[in-house]
Structures are given as C-alpha cells and as structure tokens.
Amino acid sequence: MNYLLLKHLHVTAVVVSGTGFFLRGLLMLNDSPLLQRRLLRVMPHVVDTILLGSAITMAVLSAQYPFVQPWLTAKFCGLLAYIVLGMVALKRGRTKAQRAAFFVAALLAFAYIVSVALTRNPRGFLLAFA
C-alpha cells in the first residue's frame, strides 16, 4: 500500500477516534442511554483497529519504531496513558466527578499524542512552555 495513502487513512482514523471518544464522553457525562447502542459500543473497536494497524504498517514501511525514535516512544507512552485514562473516564470511574476529571485528562493525553505526531518531538505541545 502506498505510504501516503496509509498516512491519510491513519490521520482519518485519528480524527474519527478522537471525535468518537469526545462524543462518548459527553454522552457519559449526560447519562445518555445512547451509550448502550450497539454501534457506539462496536465502532470504537473497529476504528481503533484500523488506527493501530495503519500505525504498525507505517512504522514497518518507514523503519521508524518506538524505543528507537524518541518521538514514537513518546507517542506510544502517551497512547498507553490515553487508553488507561479513557477506560476510567468511560467505564471504571466511580463518581461522575472522577469520570469527568479522567475524561479531561484523556483529552489532554490525546492532544499530546497528536502534538507529538505533528512536531515529531517528544515534548509535543509542551514545547510551547519551554
């Protein structure tokens, strides 16, 4: 597959995944029964599988890997934080306040990952504070 096409697929999946997380977080904060819809429970897994598959394929094609390239290591660590924070925000948080706090933290982690991808610098948006 053409690398540029793969990159566009990946970026599209990032936008769809981030938007979906944001919308599901708003639904969670409003106690919406829409969260129980099958589509809202299945689609994130489909999109995130495309996202992960395209990321791994791009890494292999470009020969740039986490734990070799510092910016990819930062993205990987940010992704792990985003996953954990997002799980607490959408499912595991005990109180609405706790879920809201983790939701905001997960959105910040998502923004960090995107900023690292755009700058190819492990500090991402934190460069603005340097």
Side-chain angles (χ1 to χ4, degrees), residues 69-81:
Q69 297 291 326
W71 71 277
L72 282 175
T73 304
K75 275 184 66 173
F76 180 76
C77 293
L79 176 63
L80 293 179

Side-chain angles (χ1 to χ4, degrees), residues 4 9 15 20 22 32 35 37 43 46 48 57 62 67 89 93 96 98 102 108-109 113-116 128 130:
L4 191 57
L9 175 66
V15 171
F22 180 73
S32 175
L35 277 174
R37 296 273 173 121
M43 273 309 281
V46 172
D48 291 343
T57 305
S62 67
F67 308 109
K96 181 75 66 94
Q98 187 181 52
F102 277 87
L108 286 171
I113 295 165
V114 170
S115 72
V116 169

Side-chain angles (χ1 to χ4, degrees), residues 18 21-22 25 28-29 77-90 96-115 125-126:
F21 176 74
F22 180 73
M28 174 274 302
L29 291 173
C77 293
L79 176 63
L80 293 179
Y82 172 64
I83 290 168
V84 171
L85 295 166
M87 279 190 340
V88 176
L90 295 180
K96 181 75 66 94
Q98 187 181 52
R99 286 180 168 205
F102 277 87
F103 179 56
V104 170
L107 290 173
L108 286 171
F110 183 83
Y112 170 74
I113 295 165
V114 170
S115 72
F125 65 65
L126 300 174

